[in-house]
mmCIF file of all heavy atoms in Angstrom:
data_model
loop_
_atom_site.group_PDB
_atom_site.id
_atom_site.type_symbol
_atom_site.label_atom_id
_atom_site.label_comp_id
_atom_site.label_asym_id
_atom_site.label_seq_id
_atom_site.Cartn_x
_atom_site.Cartn_y
_atom_site.Cartn_z
ATOM 1 N N GLU M 151 -11.838 13.746 -13.764
ATOM 2 C CA GLU M 151 -12.466 14.401 -12.584
ATOM 3 C C GLU M 151 -12.818 13.391 -11.576
ATOM 4 O O GLU M 151 -12.602 13.680 -10.315
ATOM 5 C CB GLU M 151 -13.680 15.131 -13.065
ATOM 6 C CG GLU M 151 -14.838 14.299 -13.650
ATOM 7 C CD GLU M 151 -14.728 14.189 -15.227
ATOM 8 O OE1 GLU M 151 -13.515 14.408 -15.614
ATOM 9 O OE2 GLU M 151 -15.704 13.916 -15.794
ATOM 10 N N ARG M 152 -13.155 12.118 -11.858
ATOM 11 C CA ARG M 152 -13.364 11.079 -10.878
ATOM 12 C C ARG M 152 -12.005 10.618 -10.230
ATOM 13 O O ARG M 152 -11.903 10.430 -9.026
ATOM 14 C CB ARG M 152 -14.045 9.854 -11.593
ATOM 15 C CG ARG M 152 -14.235 8.598 -10.710
ATOM 16 C CD ARG M 152 -15.095 8.923 -9.467
ATOM 17 N NE ARG M 152 -15.397 7.748 -8.776
ATOM 18 C CZ ARG M 152 -15.771 7.736 -7.510
ATOM 19 N NH1 ARG M 152 -15.986 8.881 -6.840
ATOM 20 N NH2 ARG M 152 -15.988 6.572 -6.869
ATOM 21 N N VAL M 153 -11.010 10.541 -11.092
ATOM 22 C CA VAL M 153 -9.638 10.187 -10.559
ATOM 23 C C VAL M 153 -9.256 11.250 -9.535
ATOM 24 O O VAL M 153 -8.750 10.886 -8.447
ATOM 25 C CB VAL M 153 -8.603 9.968 -11.633
ATOM 26 C CG1 VAL M 153 -7.227 9.824 -11.102
ATOM 27 C CG2 VAL M 153 -8.992 8.813 -12.556
ATOM 28 N N GLY M 154 -9.384 12.514 -9.901
ATOM 29 C CA GLY M 154 -9.136 13.673 -8.981
ATOM 30 C C GLY M 154 -9.873 13.494 -7.702
ATOM 31 O O GLY M 154 -9.329 13.734 -6.590
ATOM 32 N N ALA M 155 -11.147 13.173 -7.721
ATOM 33 C CA ALA M 155 -11.983 13.075 -6.575
ATOM 34 C C ALA M 155 -11.490 11.947 -5.704
ATOM 35 O O ALA M 155 -11.445 12.017 -4.490
ATOM 36 C CB ALA M 155 -13.436 12.897 -6.871
ATOM 37 N N LEU M 156 -11.124 10.829 -6.195
ATOM 38 C CA LEU M 156 -10.646 9.735 -5.455
ATOM 39 C C LEU M 156 -9.377 10.111 -4.778
ATOM 40 O O LEU M 156 -9.058 9.690 -3.663
ATOM 41 C CB LEU M 156 -10.404 8.532 -6.425
ATOM 42 C CG LEU M 156 -11.676 7.827 -6.949
ATOM 43 C CD1 LEU M 156 -11.437 6.763 -7.906
ATOM 44 C CD2 LEU M 156 -12.527 7.252 -5.821
ATOM 45 N N ALA M 157 -8.332 10.869 -5.556
ATOM 46 C CA ALA M 157 -7.119 11.145 -4.902
ATOM 47 C C ALA M 157 -7.431 12.094 -3.686
ATOM 48 O O ALA M 157 -6.605 11.960 -2.717
ATOM 49 C CB ALA M 157 -6.290 11.909 -5.895
ATOM 50 N N ARG M 158 -8.450 12.893 -3.663
ATOM 51 C CA ARG M 158 -8.630 13.709 -2.523
ATOM 52 C C ARG M 158 -9.250 13.043 -1.458
ATOM 53 O O ARG M 158 -9.186 13.622 -0.212
ATOM 54 C CB ARG M 158 -9.615 14.946 -3.063
ATOM 55 C CG ARG M 158 -8.882 16.005 -3.833
ATOM 56 C CD ARG M 158 -9.814 17.100 -4.152
ATOM 57 N NE ARG M 158 -11.099 16.765 -4.828
ATOM 58 C CZ ARG M 158 -11.124 16.779 -6.229
ATOM 59 N NH1 ARG M 158 -10.104 17.055 -6.892
ATOM 60 N NH2 ARG M 158 -12.264 16.492 -6.825
ATOM 61 N N THR M 159 -9.656 11.751 -1.657
ATOM 62 C CA THR M 159 -10.135 11.023 -0.375
ATOM 63 C C THR M 159 -8.945 10.630 0.512
ATOM 64 O O THR M 159 -9.051 10.252 1.682
ATOM 65 C CB THR M 159 -11.038 9.716 -0.785
ATOM 66 O OG1 THR M 159 -10.016 8.824 -1.440
ATOM 67 C CG2 THR M 159 -12.097 10.196 -1.688
ATOM 68 N N SER M 160 -7.621 10.633 -0.086
ATOM 69 C CA SER M 160 -6.555 10.200 0.655
ATOM 70 C C SER M 160 -5.949 11.331 1.455
ATOM 71 O O SER M 160 -6.097 12.584 1.130
ATOM 72 C CB SER M 160 -5.486 9.834 -0.383
ATOM 73 O OG SER M 160 -4.098 9.793 0.264
ATOM 74 N N ALA M 161 -5.523 11.050 2.654
ATOM 75 C CA ALA M 161 -4.941 12.067 3.607
ATOM 76 C C ALA M 161 -3.632 12.616 2.897
ATOM 77 O O ALA M 161 -3.324 13.802 3.172
ATOM 78 C CB ALA M 161 -4.539 11.495 4.895
ATOM 79 N N LEU M 162 -3.039 11.962 1.941
ATOM 80 C CA LEU M 162 -1.881 12.376 1.333
ATOM 81 C C LEU M 162 -2.246 13.224 0.014
ATOM 82 O O LEU M 162 -1.366 13.712 -0.598
ATOM 83 C CB LEU M 162 -0.983 11.282 0.943
ATOM 84 C CG LEU M 162 -0.442 10.458 2.090
ATOM 85 C CD1 LEU M 162 0.468 9.267 1.487
ATOM 86 C CD2 LEU M 162 0.418 11.285 2.997
ATOM 87 N N GLY M 163 -3.548 13.166 -0.324
ATOM 88 C CA GLY M 163 -4.047 13.988 -1.431
ATOM 89 C C GLY M 163 -3.679 13.572 -2.878
ATOM 90 O O GLY M 163 -3.672 14.225 -3.835
ATOM 91 N N ARG M 164 -3.384 12.186 -2.961
ATOM 92 C CA ARG M 164 -2.971 11.610 -4.201
ATOM 93 C C ARG M 164 -3.248 10.090 -4.161
ATOM 94 O O ARG M 164 -3.543 9.532 -3.183
ATOM 95 C CB ARG M 164 -1.503 11.774 -4.506
ATOM 96 C CG ARG M 164 -0.555 11.219 -3.482
ATOM 97 C CD ARG M 164 0.880 11.272 -3.839
ATOM 98 N NE ARG M 164 1.828 10.645 -2.878
ATOM 99 C CZ ARG M 164 2.262 9.489 -2.861
ATOM 100 N NH1 ARG M 164 1.607 8.490 -3.724
ATOM 101 N NH2 ARG M 164 3.016 8.980 -1.983
ATOM 102 N N LEU M 165 -3.281 9.531 -5.411
ATOM 103 C CA LEU M 165 -3.393 8.134 -5.556
ATOM 104 C C LEU M 165 -2.092 7.371 -5.253
ATOM 105 O O LEU M 165 -0.992 8.107 -5.305
ATOM 106 C CB LEU M 165 -3.877 7.726 -6.958
ATOM 107 C CG LEU M 165 -5.184 8.313 -7.484
ATOM 108 C CD1 LEU M 165 -5.377 7.787 -8.826
ATOM 109 C CD2 LEU M 165 -6.413 7.912 -6.640
ATOM 110 N N ALA M 166 -2.220 6.129 -4.928
ATOM 111 C CA ALA M 166 -0.962 5.407 -4.789
ATOM 112 C C ALA M 166 -0.298 4.977 -6.168
ATOM 113 O O ALA M 166 -0.999 4.733 -7.072
ATOM 114 C CB ALA M 166 -1.174 4.080 -3.956
ATOM 115 N N ALA M 167 0.988 4.999 -6.203
ATOM 116 C CA ALA M 167 1.721 4.413 -7.381
ATOM 117 C C ALA M 167 1.726 2.875 -7.118
ATOM 118 O O ALA M 167 1.760 2.400 -5.993
ATOM 119 C CB ALA M 167 3.154 4.935 -7.491
ATOM 120 N N PRO M 168 1.542 2.055 -8.207
ATOM 121 C CA PRO M 168 1.571 0.651 -8.072
ATOM 122 C C PRO M 168 2.850 0.096 -7.258
ATOM 123 O O PRO M 168 2.840 -0.749 -6.551
ATOM 124 C CB PRO M 168 1.562 0.167 -9.505
ATOM 125 C CG PRO M 168 0.922 1.295 -10.248
ATOM 126 C CD PRO M 168 1.256 2.489 -9.642
ATOM 127 N N GLU M 169 3.981 0.828 -7.468
ATOM 128 C CA GLU M 169 5.145 0.499 -6.856
ATOM 129 C C GLU M 169 5.144 0.658 -5.490
ATOM 130 O O GLU M 169 5.867 -0.087 -4.658
ATOM 131 C CB GLU M 169 6.428 1.338 -7.512
ATOM 132 C CG GLU M 169 6.725 1.059 -8.967
ATOM 133 C CD GLU M 169 5.859 1.819 -9.859
ATOM 134 O OE1 GLU M 169 4.916 2.498 -9.365
ATOM 135 O OE2 GLU M 169 6.018 1.625 -11.156
ATOM 136 N N GLU M 170 4.333 1.581 -4.953
ATOM 137 C CA GLU M 170 4.174 1.736 -3.520
ATOM 138 C C GLU M 170 3.414 0.503 -2.900
ATOM 139 O O GLU M 170 3.770 0.025 -1.665
ATOM 140 C CB GLU M 170 3.494 3.016 -3.076
ATOM 141 C CG GLU M 170 4.257 4.223 -3.519
ATOM 142 C CD GLU M 170 3.558 5.568 -3.261
ATOM 143 O OE1 GLU M 170 2.468 5.719 -3.901
ATOM 144 O OE2 GLU M 170 3.990 6.359 -2.470
ATOM 145 N N ILE M 171 2.379 -0.083 -3.540
ATOM 146 C CA ILE M 171 1.754 -1.220 -3.096
ATOM 147 C C ILE M 171 2.757 -2.358 -3.169
ATOM 148 O O ILE M 171 2.806 -3.311 -2.183
ATOM 149 C CB ILE M 171 0.531 -1.528 -3.829
ATOM 150 C CG1 ILE M 171 -0.400 -0.250 -3.850
ATOM 151 C CG2 ILE M 171 -0.205 -2.675 -3.336
ATOM 152 C CD1 ILE M 171 -0.789 0.255 -2.492
ATOM 153 N N ALA M 172 3.399 -2.490 -4.268
ATOM 154 C CA ALA M 172 4.394 -3.611 -4.483
ATOM 155 C C ALA M 172 5.469 -3.599 -3.514
ATOM 156 O O ALA M 172 5.936 -4.761 -2.999
ATOM 157 C CB ALA M 172 4.978 -3.464 -5.890
ATOM 158 N N ALA M 173 6.045 -2.525 -2.947
ATOM 159 C CA ALA M 173 6.919 -2.465 -1.839
ATOM 160 C C ALA M 173 6.507 -3.250 -0.648
ATOM 161 O O ALA M 173 7.237 -3.937 0.042
ATOM 162 C CB ALA M 173 7.452 -1.022 -1.667
ATOM 163 N N VAL M 174 5.235 -2.950 -0.216
ATOM 164 C CA VAL M 174 4.636 -3.591 0.942
ATOM 165 C C VAL M 174 4.514 -5.038 0.686
ATOM 166 O O VAL M 174 4.861 -5.870 1.549
ATOM 167 C CB VAL M 174 3.410 -2.890 1.404
ATOM 168 C CG1 VAL M 174 2.789 -3.557 2.611
ATOM 169 C CG2 VAL M 174 3.553 -1.329 1.532
ATOM 170 N N ILE M 175 4.009 -5.411 -0.434
ATOM 171 C CA ILE M 175 3.988 -6.888 -0.795
ATOM 172 C C ILE M 175 5.213 -7.533 -0.650
ATOM 173 O O ILE M 175 5.413 -8.634 -0.162
ATOM 174 C CB ILE M 175 3.305 -7.023 -2.276
ATOM 175 C CG1 ILE M 175 1.870 -6.682 -2.119
ATOM 176 C CG2 ILE M 175 3.365 -8.553 -2.742
ATOM 177 C CD1 ILE M 175 1.191 -6.554 -3.566
ATOM 178 N N ALA M 176 6.278 -6.936 -1.282
ATOM 179 C CA ALA M 176 7.580 -7.542 -1.309
ATOM 180 C C ALA M 176 8.149 -7.687 0.198
ATOM 181 O O ALA M 176 8.828 -8.727 0.423
ATOM 182 C CB ALA M 176 8.647 -6.583 -2.056
ATOM 183 N N PHE M 177 7.815 -6.642 1.088
ATOM 184 C CA PHE M 177 8.221 -6.924 2.419
ATOM 185 C C PHE M 177 7.459 -8.074 3.161
ATOM 186 O O PHE M 177 8.158 -8.986 3.766
ATOM 187 C CB PHE M 177 7.903 -5.587 3.265
ATOM 188 C CG PHE M 177 8.036 -5.794 4.686
ATOM 189 C CD1 PHE M 177 9.200 -5.948 5.377
ATOM 190 C CD2 PHE M 177 6.842 -5.876 5.525
ATOM 191 C CE1 PHE M 177 9.303 -6.122 6.749
ATOM 192 C CE2 PHE M 177 6.921 -5.935 6.881
ATOM 193 C CZ PHE M 177 8.197 -6.195 7.430
ATOM 194 N N LEU M 178 6.108 -8.121 2.879
ATOM 195 C CA LEU M 178 5.361 -9.230 3.488
ATOM 196 C C LEU M 178 5.836 -10.561 2.984
ATOM 197 O O LEU M 178 5.709 -11.584 3.778
ATOM 198 C CB LEU M 178 3.911 -8.971 3.292
ATOM 199 C CG LEU M 178 3.193 -7.852 3.904
ATOM 200 C CD1 LEU M 178 1.802 -7.655 3.418
ATOM 201 C CD2 LEU M 178 3.249 -7.998 5.368
ATOM 202 N N ALA M 179 6.137 -10.635 1.779
ATOM 203 C CA ALA M 179 6.627 -11.979 1.213
ATOM 204 C C ALA M 179 8.030 -12.272 1.607
ATOM 205 O O ALA M 179 8.312 -13.546 1.585
ATOM 206 C CB ALA M 179 6.491 -11.847 -0.455
ATOM 207 N N SER M 180 8.726 -11.306 2.073
ATOM 208 C CA SER M 180 10.197 -11.735 2.292
ATOM 209 C C SER M 180 10.474 -12.213 3.704
ATOM 210 O O SER M 180 9.566 -12.154 4.656
ATOM 211 C CB SER M 180 11.010 -10.419 2.216
ATOM 212 O OG SER M 180 10.811 -9.606 3.185
ATOM 213 N N ASP M 181 11.637 -12.744 3.970
ATOM 214 C CA ASP M 181 11.980 -13.187 5.336
ATOM 215 C C ASP M 181 12.050 -11.969 6.376
ATOM 216 O O ASP M 181 12.182 -12.230 7.473
ATOM 217 C CB ASP M 181 13.344 -13.833 5.305
ATOM 218 C CG ASP M 181 13.244 -15.267 4.555
ATOM 219 O OD1 ASP M 181 12.149 -15.726 4.427
ATOM 220 O OD2 ASP M 181 14.312 -15.731 4.119
ATOM 221 N N ARG M 182 12.101 -10.715 5.823
ATOM 222 C CA ARG M 182 12.166 -9.626 6.810
ATOM 223 C C ARG M 182 10.786 -9.528 7.559
ATOM 224 O O ARG M 182 10.777 -8.868 8.599
ATOM 225 C CB ARG M 182 12.373 -8.333 5.983
ATOM 226 C CG ARG M 182 13.851 -8.174 5.436
ATOM 227 C CD ARG M 182 13.971 -6.958 4.535
ATOM 228 N NE ARG M 182 13.038 -7.000 3.337
ATOM 229 C CZ ARG M 182 12.723 -6.013 2.614
ATOM 230 N NH1 ARG M 182 13.119 -4.835 2.861
ATOM 231 N NH2 ARG M 182 11.936 -6.175 1.541
ATOM 232 N N ALA M 183 9.740 -10.135 7.117
ATOM 233 C CA ALA M 183 8.545 -10.141 7.815
ATOM 234 C C ALA M 183 8.256 -11.704 8.334
ATOM 235 O O ALA M 183 7.209 -12.000 8.486
ATOM 236 C CB ALA M 183 7.408 -9.831 6.891
ATOM 237 N N SER M 184 9.244 -12.148 8.845
ATOM 238 C CA SER M 184 9.309 -13.527 9.355
ATOM 239 C C SER M 184 8.329 -13.830 10.461
ATOM 240 O O SER M 184 8.036 -15.041 10.738
ATOM 241 C CB SER M 184 10.715 -14.067 9.617
ATOM 242 O OG SER M 184 11.365 -13.170 10.700
ATOM 243 N N TYR M 185 7.937 -12.801 11.293
ATOM 244 C CA TYR M 185 7.132 -12.981 12.423
ATOM 245 C C TYR M 185 5.646 -12.322 12.203
ATOM 246 O O TYR M 185 4.980 -12.058 13.006
ATOM 247 C CB TYR M 185 7.693 -12.447 13.667
ATOM 248 C CG TYR M 185 7.094 -13.026 14.911
ATOM 249 C CD1 TYR M 185 7.193 -14.500 15.173
ATOM 250 C CD2 TYR M 185 6.479 -12.282 15.863
ATOM 251 C CE1 TYR M 185 6.634 -15.014 16.358
ATOM 252 C CE2 TYR M 185 5.913 -12.849 17.043
ATOM 253 C CZ TYR M 185 5.978 -14.198 17.297
ATOM 254 O OH TYR M 185 5.358 -14.747 18.406
ATOM 255 N N LEU M 186 5.410 -12.055 10.898
ATOM 256 C CA LEU M 186 4.212 -11.283 10.576
ATOM 257 C C LEU M 186 3.307 -12.343 9.775
ATOM 258 O O LEU M 186 3.651 -12.728 8.631
ATOM 259 C CB LEU M 186 4.527 -10.155 9.676
ATOM 260 C CG LEU M 186 3.489 -8.974 9.823
ATOM 261 C CD1 LEU M 186 4.165 -7.678 9.292
ATOM 262 C CD2 LEU M 186 2.212 -9.382 8.992
ATOM 263 N N THR M 187 2.137 -12.722 10.254
ATOM 264 C CA THR M 187 1.290 -13.636 9.508
ATOM 265 C C THR M 187 -0.174 -13.391 10.050
ATOM 266 O O THR M 187 -0.422 -12.909 11.117
ATOM 267 C CB THR M 187 1.622 -15.151 9.809
ATOM 268 O OG1 THR M 187 1.018 -15.909 8.849
ATOM 269 C CG2 THR M 187 1.517 -15.528 11.172
ATOM 270 N N GLY M 188 -1.062 -13.732 9.217
ATOM 271 C CA GLY M 188 -2.533 -13.712 9.421
ATOM 272 C C GLY M 188 -3.011 -12.150 9.387
ATOM 273 O O GLY M 188 -4.114 -11.997 9.925
ATOM 274 N N GLN M 189 -2.289 -11.385 8.747
ATOM 275 C CA GLN M 189 -2.601 -9.935 8.685
ATOM 276 C C GLN M 189 -3.074 -9.426 7.388
ATOM 277 O O GLN M 189 -2.457 -9.834 6.385
ATOM 278 C CB GLN M 189 -1.438 -9.075 9.257
ATOM 279 C CG GLN M 189 -0.939 -9.453 10.522
ATOM 280 C CD GLN M 189 -1.968 -9.375 11.694
ATOM 281 O OE1 GLN M 189 -2.603 -8.393 11.851
ATOM 282 N NE2 GLN M 189 -2.120 -10.383 12.414
ATOM 283 N N THR M 190 -3.989 -8.466 7.364
ATOM 284 C CA THR M 190 -4.259 -7.701 6.212
ATOM 285 C C THR M 190 -3.955 -6.117 6.560
ATOM 286 O O THR M 190 -4.379 -5.630 7.289
ATOM 287 C CB THR M 190 -5.748 -7.734 5.914
ATOM 288 O OG1 THR M 190 -6.132 -9.073 5.542
ATOM 289 C CG2 THR M 190 -6.159 -6.917 4.619
ATOM 290 N N VAL M 191 -2.782 -5.899 5.820
ATOM 291 C CA VAL M 191 -2.127 -4.498 5.973
ATOM 292 C C VAL M 191 -2.827 -3.567 5.234
ATOM 293 O O VAL M 191 -2.641 -3.704 3.942
ATOM 294 C CB VAL M 191 -0.668 -4.661 5.821
ATOM 295 C CG1 VAL M 191 -0.018 -3.379 6.081
ATOM 296 C CG2 VAL M 191 0.007 -5.707 6.719
#
């Protein structure tokens, strides 16, 4: 029930999958983000 309540705090109505966070990390770590620094996304 607590997990469900946390999911409802999201505008998308669900929790994130770990892979969704990992995808953003992979982008930030890669050369595709070569002009992105000093940011908390």
